[in-house]
Amino acid sequence: MLVLASASPRRRELLTQAGYQFEVHPAHIPEDPLPDEDPIAYVTRLARQKAEAVYRELSPANPQVIVLGADTTVTLDDHILGKPEDDEDAARMLRLLSGRTHRVITGVSIVSAARIQTAAEVTAVQFLTLSEREIADYIATGEPGDKAGAYAIQGHAARWIPRIEGCYFNVVGLPISLVATLLESASL
């Protein structure tokens, strides 16, 4: 049995689209970066902690459970841009991303009785230059509220992204190819 340790509707949609059958059991752990923590270390640590927490909870009743944990962040100049605290913070993040290329990093962890596997996917995302009006109008949609970096590539922000280098699904929140590779080796 596969369990997704996330409440993210985007991750649920991507796993379903890829043909996986799974249950959802969100992990509840603190998600603050440690002082001077590298962005890749940050997302892989959180992905593993989420998967381990849910595995510990579910494995006594079901030792065959396989738990998938994931965490995504946006980085610019190695600074982590998490989910915005409010509209002002979202505007600040969008101004930082405007006219620049940033990285989206997703940590993925698979925890089963046999092993723990953790890896990360990195995608470069180019943003067009945004006007203050575009930023304000976008924030008014409510879309940036629960998104790392204050945007959703699969939403209204798509019009400002002329190019990415890497996995599109990673930017949405779950690098499906990486997940498939880890799940295949977890079942060996």
Side-chain angles (χ1 to χ4, degrees), residues 12 31 38 45 95 109 127 159-160:
R12 284 195 308 262
E31 295 191 15
D38 172 80
R45 175 179 61 83
R95 285 185 199 103
S109 189
F127 249 53
R159 60 187 163 191
W160 302 321

Side-chain angles (χ1 to χ4, degrees), residues 34-175:
L34 301 174
D36 300 318
E37 189 170 26
D38 172 80
I40 292 176
Y42 167 65
V43 295
T44 54
R45 175 179 61 83
L46 288 183
R48 183 174 175 155
Q49 287 177 346
K50 290 174 183 180
E52 287 177 330
V54 171
Y55 182 81
R56 278 192 305 273
E57 190 176 334
L58 300 179
S59 63
N62 184 354
Q64 300 304 313
V65 69
I66 297 173
V67 180
L68 166 59
D71 193 77
T72 301
T73 196
V74 171
T75 65
L76 183 66
D77 302 327
D78 285 328
H79 294 292
I80 295 169
L81 301 178
K83 296 175 183 177
E85 296 175 13
D86 53 29
D87 288 353
E88 208 172 284
D89 194 33
R92 177 189 66 82
M93 289 184 194
L94 292 167
R95 285 185 199 103
L96 288 171
L97 299 176
S98 176
R100 306 220 22 223
T101 299
H102 61 276
R103 296 185 314 156
V104 176
I105 306 169
T106 300
V108 174
S109 189
I110 305 290
V111 176
S112 67
R115 65 182 80 173
I116 298 172
Q117 300 177 89
T118 305
E121 184 78 34
V122 180
T123 303
V125 180
Q126 181 184 2
F127 249 53
L128 297 176
T129 301
L130 308 178
S131 69
E132 286 299 315
R133 176 63 183 249
E134 287 172 312
I135 292 171
D137 288 349
Y138 183 55
I139 291 170
T141 69
E143 193 173 271
D146 68 339
K147 313 289 188 307
Y151 78 93
I153 192 170
Q154 73 280 15
H156 296 285
R159 60 187 163 191
W160 302 321
I161 301 171
R163 178 170 294 106
I164 70 167
E165 292 179 28
C167 176
Y168 167 81
F169 300 108
N170 180 47
V171 184
V172 177
L174 194 64

